[in-house]
Amino acid sequence: MTNLKHLKKIGVLTSGGDAPGMNAAIRAVVRTAIFRKLEAVGIYRGYEGLIQKQFTEMKTHSVSKIISRGGTILKSSRCLEFKEKAYREIAVNNMREEGIDALVVIGGDGSFRGADALYREFDFPVVGIPGTIDNDIYGTDYTIGFDTAVNTAMEAVDKLRDTADSHNLVFFVEVMGRDAGFIGLYTSIATGAEATLIPEVHTDINKLCAYLDHERRKNKTSGIIIVAEGDNMGNANEIAAKVSEKLPDYETRVTTLGHIQRGGSPTCNDRVLASILGNRAVEALLEGKSGVMVGQVNGQTTYTPFQEACTRHNEINKLWYEIAHILSL
Ligand code: ADP
Ligand code: F6P
């Protein structure tokens, strides 16, 4: 294996929305780096910490027992300053002063836009790991955190179903996904929801009401409607209000699952994915790869240029959307 001669110290940060499994990825990056006789430096609060030089030396024990913890021990942030080149220059100078010669960024597509700028403008070696519950990143079948988030949403909807059935209610359950319907679609299939409203499919209030009415006439006494937060008709409260207006006999309730979906102990799938990608990210840097996101497609490690990972989107399977509908009949 060819080792980059100057590669001695690797930095790692988490950026954007936190996701369960980020800690497992940090652990894998730190331990692989140490295994490869490199030093590892943790950067607090994402790009904010790069600008403010909030660095911490990471040893093997620094990442002990974090594999089962949600959130991120390095903390995360949304850092507007980083969108300006002048601040990115400060960040690069801070890393160079500290002797950090390569960086691993764990985050979503916004974080990769920042990482790409570091790579292009300053030729700084940087590799990304997809960490977001939204699963909307091109170049990987799954992002770290998605599996945990959908399991959390599924368990919550199962509980709501009990109350919906007991009181003959129609529940509108809002799940996360500002631009992507993965959480909505998976949760819907897994809970047998009566309808799925996601950003990728245009929703029509009249069609939705006609469908609900049809279901009621078939003696369905309760229902679950999953609403992704990015749906074209609005949020779950707004949609429930419109339905109540058109179908006044319906008793509706709204539950927004919100940030509950972002927390909690990661599932086995997320821990394994994060561990493998964390290891592969360090190996990629050692092989001289840069400006790419490591992902997993059909079980194989893939390297997708940031430009592609940022501009393209992971598409939902429209057939799965139809199946969700068929199975809820
Ligand atoms: P995510 O990574 O989960 O998509 P954000 O979209 O909030 O989350 O992006 C995380 C951070 O990445 C932002 O707060 C900002 O610091 C940085 N970032 C996002 N877009 C850009 C950009 N175009 N140029 C430079 N940095 C960016
Ligand atoms: O990127 C994940 C995500 O959970 C989106 O689905 C959601 O719209 C957004 O983050 C909310 O994040 P915050 O409350 O941190 O702004």
Side-chain angles (χ1 to χ4, degrees), residues 15-18 22 46-48 51 76-84 88 105-118 121 131-134 136-137 178:
S15 166
D18 67 335
M22 280 183 161
Y47 294 130
E48 209 171 284
I51 294 168
S76 190
S77 71
R78 306 211 193 248
C79 171
L80 288 181
E81 286 172 337
F82 204 72
K83 294 189 177 179
E84 292 173 40
R88 293 196 289 272
V105 170
I106 306 167
D109 56 348
S111 302
F112 295 158
R113 262 178 227 118
D116 194 45
L118 288 183
E121 293 166 354
T132 164
I133 64 164
D134 291 342
D136 57 347
I137 298 187
R178 210 168 10 208

Side-chain angles (χ1 to χ4, degrees), residues 18-326:
D18 67 335
M22 280 183 161
N23 281 327
I26 295 168
R27 171 179 176 270
V29 168
V30 169
R31 296 230 165 133
T32 305
I34 292 168
F35 174 76
R36 286 292 190 181
K37 311 265 181 278
L38 303 168
E39 288 174 63
V41 176
I43 296 137
Y44 285 115
R45 295 186 54 74
Y47 294 130
E48 209 171 284
L50 269 190
I51 294 168
Q52 292 170 3
K53 224 177 170 182
Q54 293 176 352
F55 299 154
T56 183
E57 198 183 348
M58 305 287 277
K59 298 285 185 195
T60 310
H61 66 264
S62 318
V63 291
S64 291
K65 302 181 195 75
I66 65 169
I67 195 164
S68 58
R69 279 172 58 188
T72 156
I73 59 161
L74 291 176
K75 299 182 182 286
S76 190
S77 71
R78 306 211 193 248
C79 171
L80 288 181
E81 286 172 337
F82 204 72
K83 294 189 177 179
E84 292 173 40
K85 188 173 178 187
Y87 285 97
R88 293 196 289 272
E89 193 165 4
I90 294 173
V92 168
N93 289 338
N94 284 344
M95 284 194 282
R96 288 188 176 140
E97 266 175 41
E98 188 71 20
I100 298 172
D101 36 38
L103 179 68
V104 176
V105 170
I106 306 167
D109 56 348
S111 302
F112 295 158
R113 262 178 227 118
D116 194 45
L118 288 183
Y119 163 66
R120 285 175 181 276
E121 293 166 354
F122 304 96
D123 200 20
F124 199 88
V126 51
V127 162
I129 297 177
T132 164
I133 64 164
D134 291 342
N135 205 42
D136 57 347
I137 298 187
Y138 180 80
T140 190
D141 286 341
Y142 294 104
T143 57
I144 294 166
F146 171 70
D147 190 59
T148 308
V150 282
N151 275 288
T152 301
M154 179 188 76
E155 283 169 22
V157 173
D158 283 348
K159 291 183 172 120
L160 295 171
R161 176 74 86 180
D162 292 344
T163 301
D165 276 349
S166 305
H167 289 265
N168 290 351
L169 301 171
V170 175
F171 261 93
F172 290 80
V173 186
E174 186 173 301
V175 296
M176 277 191 166
R178 210 168 10 208
D179 307 306
F182 284 94
I183 299 177
L185 181 58
Y186 274 64
T187 305
S188 199
I189 294 174
T191 60
E194 275 62 35
T196 315
L197 312 183
I198 54 177
E200 292 86 345
V201 181
H202 184 83
T203 312
D204 179 295
I205 188 73
N206 293 320
K207 273 194 194 152
L208 175 65
C209 289
Y211 175 69
L212 289 177
D213 212 31
H214 169 78
E215 292 289 288
R216 171 95 15 138
R217 275 193 254 110
K218 281 188 346 199
N219 280 339
K220 269 204 182 184
T221 53
S222 64
I224 298 283
I225 318 292
I226 303 290
V227 183
E229 60 183 342
D231 187 72
N232 65 280
M233 275 200 312
N235 63 34
N237 273 304
E238 290 161 348
I239 298 172
K242 285 180 198 162
V243 168
S244 298
E245 210 174 281
K246 287 185 182 287
L247 301 172
D249 294 346
Y250 277 59
E251 205 177 334
T252 60
R253 292 286 186 279
V254 178
T255 299
T256 301
L257 298 185
H259 291 79
I260 278 178
Q261 296 158 96
R262 289 241 295 257
S265 178
T267 58
C268 177
N269 280 343
D270 274 332
R271 295 182 199 191
V272 172
L273 179 67
S275 300
I276 303 301
L277 294 186
N279 169 273
R280 293 294 90 192
V282 174
E283 292 296 340
L285 286 168
L286 284 165
E287 286 166 18
K289 292 190 174 69
S290 183
V292 294
M293 177 199 83
V294 286
Q296 211 174 72
V297 175
N298 294 329
Q300 300 300 311
T301 305
T302 51
Y303 305 92
T304 306
F306 284 139
Q307 288 279 314
E308 236 182 311
C310 295
T311 49
R312 301 181 67 174
H313 289 288
N314 206 3
E315 305 281 343
I316 63 148
N317 188 331
K318 289 277 169 65
L319 175 63
W320 288 29
Y321 180 83
E322 285 167 33
I323 292 172
H325 183 63
I326 291 167

